[in-house]
């Protein structure tokens, strides 16, 4: 729960920025041009009211900072452990929340966002790894999905706070919304002090096997941990015996499946369009003619749906598996997006709103879309990358995942309002097309990983119909440590013990 607070700070920021940018006092103070266009310009299209590069810079500056921070976080996570990265992430987010709440000009506001980005960059690098390494294999899916559940809780909390602060007549509600980010950040920062390091990281950093054994016995609730400890020790020795540059190592052919997943999964997670809904849901609902309070309440309802379905995913992921949830979620998201696009194309012109019945239908369909994401790409987009990397490339792999996620979150966040202005309702068909691509990708190229210990994850690629042609048995990387009957020169006591 404490480590997953890293998800709460991420979710809170996603939710708070969308709500704050729909508040009129905030727009009037920092983005007067957008406020004037919304209030006074009767000629501007419904789809273009909020099209401002400066406004999107407020939202997306966090992700540029997170992108850069994730590479420093990779070094810190590998050389000092998972715990210091979590601690530093919480502290940076705390500073960013204070600066954002006290902002008196656009520069303070965006610098505060940059500090928030540093915090999220470190937390998103370390927390999924921490959860996956601490969890028993049979519960790893549920525990790691707690990160996405926490993101959902953060989004919902932000939407509820925005709904309350929007009603403050003095116009300072947005300051409260931005400052309240300090609450989960403080819990994470203080809590991280008391968190133990992971057994895997302990062995890698200190080689203290007795300490790692005692920690394993404590977190597993049993004294029978010798088999798991042996796997961890062997994985650590293997990682130390090979090239010490994990970024160079992950480029080798035998790590090609993991590298492809490290890039493809976070990329696809962003082009589902979910962060567009999370960032800009209140603005989107205002676009279809809703008032300020109604748009914030609609965002709360969709946030609640996201939490409920992510919790459902936590409960069933280790029984059903990863692939079926990906496929089901993809179909549900596609149908919802196509229907939303069709309604908006037919009913919402450049001027005026749409009928109440159609507005309700759009909200319900966006709820189904969020449900599809909440059960699939939301939690699994963090779970699967965190469990597929062997120890020698784990910090580099997770760093690539976080960097790609931030890069495309930035691109989508920075371009969405402009794309909405130019593509209009076609924006939903654009993201729907990507959902088709990612669902086919999962069906063809992602093997099932439920129930496998992280240290033995290399097996799934050699047994996959496509990746077994890429992973070279007896070559460098995972293949060279196969038992002798699978490849010449392999070792029977290998980390990939078949």
């Amino acid at each position: 729960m404490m480590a997953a607070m890293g998800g709460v700070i991420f979710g809170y920021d996603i939710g708070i920025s969308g709500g704050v940018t729909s508040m009129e006092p905030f727009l009037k103070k920092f983005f007067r041009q957008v406020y004037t266009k919304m209030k006074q310009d009767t000629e501007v299209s419904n789809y273009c009211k909020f099209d401002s590069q400066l406004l999107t810079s407020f939202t997306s500056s966090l992700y540029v900072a997170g992108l850069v921070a994730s590479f420093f976080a990779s070094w810190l996570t590998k050389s000092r452990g998972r715990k210091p990265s979590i601690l530093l992430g919480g502290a940076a987010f705390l500073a960013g929340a204070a600066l954002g709440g006290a902002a008196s000009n656009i520069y303070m506001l965006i610098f505060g966002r940059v500090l928030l980005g540093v915090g999220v960059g470190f937390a998103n690098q370390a927390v999924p790894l921490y959860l996956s390494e601490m969890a028993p294999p049979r519960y790893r899916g549920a525990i790691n999905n707690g990160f996405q559940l926490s993101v959902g809780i953060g989004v919902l909390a932000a939407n509820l706070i925005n709904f309350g602060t929007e009603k403050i007549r003095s116009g300072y509600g947005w300051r409260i919304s931005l400052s309240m980010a300090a609450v989960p950040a403080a819990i994470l920062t203080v809590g991280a002090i008391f968190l133990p390091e992971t057994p895997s990281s302990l062995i890698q950093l200190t080689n203290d096997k007795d300490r790692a054994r005692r920690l394993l016995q404590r977190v597993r609730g049993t004294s029978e941990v010798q088999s798991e400890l042996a796997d961890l020790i062997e994985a650590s020795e293997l990682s130390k015996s090979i090239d010490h540059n994990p970024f160079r190592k992950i480029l080798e052919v035998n790590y090609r499946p993991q590298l492809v997943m490290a890039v493809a999964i976070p990329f696809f997670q962003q082009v589902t369009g979910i962060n567009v809904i999370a960032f800009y849901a209140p603005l989107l609902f205002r676009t279809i003619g809703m008032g300020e309070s109604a748009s914030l309440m609609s965002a709360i309802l969709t946030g609640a749906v996201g939490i409920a379905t992510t919790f459902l995913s936590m409960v069933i992921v280790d029984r059903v598996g990863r692939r079926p949830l990906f496929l089901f979620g993809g179909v549900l998201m596609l149908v919802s997006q196509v229907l939303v696009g069709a309604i908006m194309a037919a009913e919402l012109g450049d001027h005026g709103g749409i009928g109440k019945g159609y507005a309700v239908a759009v909200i319900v369909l966006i709820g189904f879309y969020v449900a599809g994401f909440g059960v699939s790409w939301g939690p699994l987009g963090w779970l699967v990358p965190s469990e597929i990397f062997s120890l020698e490339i784990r910090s580099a792999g997770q760093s690539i995942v976080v960097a790609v996620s931030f890069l495309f979150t930035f691109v989508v966040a920075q371009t969405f309002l402009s794309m909405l202005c130019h593509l209009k309702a076609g924006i939903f068909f654009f993201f729907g097309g990507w959902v088709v691509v990612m669902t086919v990708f999962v069906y063809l190229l992602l093997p099932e990983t439920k129930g496998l210990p992280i240290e033995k994850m290399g097996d799934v690629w050699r047994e996959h119909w496509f990746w077994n042609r890429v992973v070279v048995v007896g070559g460098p990387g995972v293949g060279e440590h196969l038992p002798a009957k699978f490849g010449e020169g392999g070792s029977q006591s290998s980390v990939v013990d078949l």
Side-chain angles (χ1 to χ4, degrees):
M1 285 175 66
M2 197 56 63
M5 271 291 161
V8 175
I9 66 173
F10 187 33
Y12 187 89
D13 184 80
I14 289 172
I16 217 70
S17 56
V20 162
T21 50
S22 74
M23 291 182 188
E24 293 179 9
F26 179 81
L27 291 174
K28 194 187 295 185
K29 182 170 180 63
F30 295 108
F31 304 98
R32 185 167 288 276
Q33 185 182 3
V34 176
Y35 176 77
T36 303
K37 192 192 295 185
M38 181 179 75
K39 282 294 188 185
Q40 298 170 9
D41 192 345
T42 56
E43 299 299 315
V44 70
S45 166
N46 276 322
Y47 293 99
C48 300
K49 283 179 182 177
F50 299 99
D51 182 18
S52 161
Q53 287 300 303
L54 190 60
L55 182 60
T56 50
S57 295
F58 164 71
T59 298
S60 57
S61 55
L62 179 147
Y63 300 97
V64 178
L67 171 65
V68 175
S70 65
F71 290 103
F72 291 99
S74 172
W75 170 81
L76 187 67
T77 304
K78 182 175 174 61
S79 62
R80 295 289 182 268
R82 283 54 169 153
K83 179 177 170 176
S85 281
I86 297 174
L87 190 62
L88 188 59
F93 201 90
L94 198 57
L99 199 59
S104 59
N105 56 55
I106 190 68
Y107 303 107
M108 280 183 73
L109 195 67
I110 290 183
F111 185 59
R113 294 283 294 173
V114 168
L115 285 176
L116 295 177
V118 172
V120 169
F122 275 86
N124 282 18
Q125 160 76 16
V127 169
L129 285 184
Y130 187 91
L131 294 172
S132 282
E133 289 182 348
M134 290 296 266
R138 67 184 181 278
Y139 298 131
R140 187 176 63 244
I143 289 175
N144 194 284
N145 280 8
F147 179 73
Q148 180 64 27
L149 180 70
S150 300
V151 172
I153 290 170
V155 171
L156 182 61
N159 287 332
L160 287 167
I161 288 168
N162 280 337
F163 185 69
T165 57
E166 176 263 329
K167 300 183 186 306
I168 296 174
R169 291 182 180 176
S170 63
Y172 277 83
W174 62 270
R175 290 193 185 276
I176 297 172
S177 291
L178 295 179
S179 299
M180 288 290 285
V183 175
I187 295 172
L188 179 69
T189 307
V190 174
I193 296 170
F194 301 98
L195 287 178
E197 190 53 83
T198 69
S200 177
S201 189
L202 270 180
I203 291 171
Q204 192 176 26
L205 296 174
T206 68
N207 209 28
D208 189 338
K209 299 179 180 65
D210 288 335
R211 189 176 161 199
R213 179 187 292 107
R214 288 194 301 272
L215 177 58
L216 264 179
Q217 289 171 341
R218 196 167 99 225
V219 298
R220 298 289 180 260
T222 175
S223 59
E224 301 299 319
V225 296
Q226 196 54 43
S227 174
E228 184 176 359
L229 182 66
D231 281 341
L232 293 175
I233 292 169
E234 197 158 14
S236 176
E237 289 172 352
L238 171 61
S239 74
K240 290 174 182 175
S241 69
I242 60 179
D243 189 343
H244 288 294
N245 186 330
F247 285 98
R248 189 159 59 229
K249 192 71 185 170
I250 202 172
L251 295 176
E252 293 180 5
V253 67
N254 264 32
Y255 298 105
R256 194 60 42 78
Q258 292 96 321
L259 179 61
V260 169
M261 296 303 161
V263 174
I265 289 177
F267 167 72
F268 285 141
Q269 189 184 42
Q270 297 313 313
V271 294
T272 57
I274 188 62
N275 276 344
V276 165
I277 300 298
F279 293 146
Y280 299 119
L283 298 186
L284 188 62
F285 293 137
R286 292 201 77 171
T287 294
I288 62 174
M290 290 183 168
E292 196 171 352
S293 288
S295 66
L296 289 171
M297 177 53 77
S298 302
I300 289 170
L301 294 175
T302 54
V305 169
I307 289 180
T309 50
T310 302
F311 183 76
L312 174 64
S313 180
M314 283 180 67
V315 172
I316 65 175
V317 66
D318 289 313
R319 300 178 198 170
V320 174
R322 282 64 163 152
R323 279 170 52 87
L325 291 180
F326 268 127
L327 299 176
F328 171 77
V331 171
L332 187 56
M333 285 191 294
L334 175 62
V335 171
S336 306
Q337 284 175 313
V338 168
L339 290 175
V340 168
I343 290 173
M344 290 181 69
E347 299 297 325
L348 183 65
D350 285 333
H351 304 285
I354 66 175
K356 186 176 180 181
Y358 287 112
V360 170
V362 167
I363 293 169
V364 170
L365 287 168
I366 286 178
F368 277 113
Y369 164 77
V370 170
F373 182 83
V375 83
S376 61
W377 280 93
L380 303 184
W382 293 106
L383 166 62
V384 172
S386 74
E387 66 184 1
I388 62 173
F389 302 121
S390 51
L391 186 60
E392 63 271 16
I393 59 166
R394 196 168 296 161
S395 64
Q398 185 66 14
S399 182
I400 292 169
V401 170
V402 174
V404 171
S405 179
F406 280 142
L407 174 63
F408 286 100
T409 304
F410 166 74
V411 170
V412 170
Q414 190 66 28
T415 58
F416 171 70
L417 292 178
S418 182
M419 287 172 68
L420 181 65
C421 180
H422 291 92
L423 295 179
K424 300 181 179 177
I427 190 78
F428 290 95
F429 298 108
F430 171 79
F431 287 120
W434 279 112
V435 172
V436 172
V437 172
M438 66 187 73
T439 304
V440 171
F441 175 87
V442 166
Y443 181 76
L444 294 177
L445 296 177
L446 183 68
E448 184 56 69
T449 55
K450 75 169 183 177
L452 273 175
I454 291 181
E455 284 69 36
K456 303 198 175 184
M457 201 60 74
D459 299 1
V460 299
W461 309 110
R462 285 185 298 277
E463 295 166 4
H464 188 267
W465 72 272
F466 177 80
W467 294 119
N468 65 8
R469 308 174 197 182
V470 177
V471 176
V472 183
V473 175
V478 291
E480 70 181 346
H481 301 285
L482 284 168
K485 65 179 180 178
F486 289 96
E488 290 302 317
S491 164
Q492 291 290 349
S493 59
S494 75
V495 66
V496 203
D497 184 6
L498 293 179

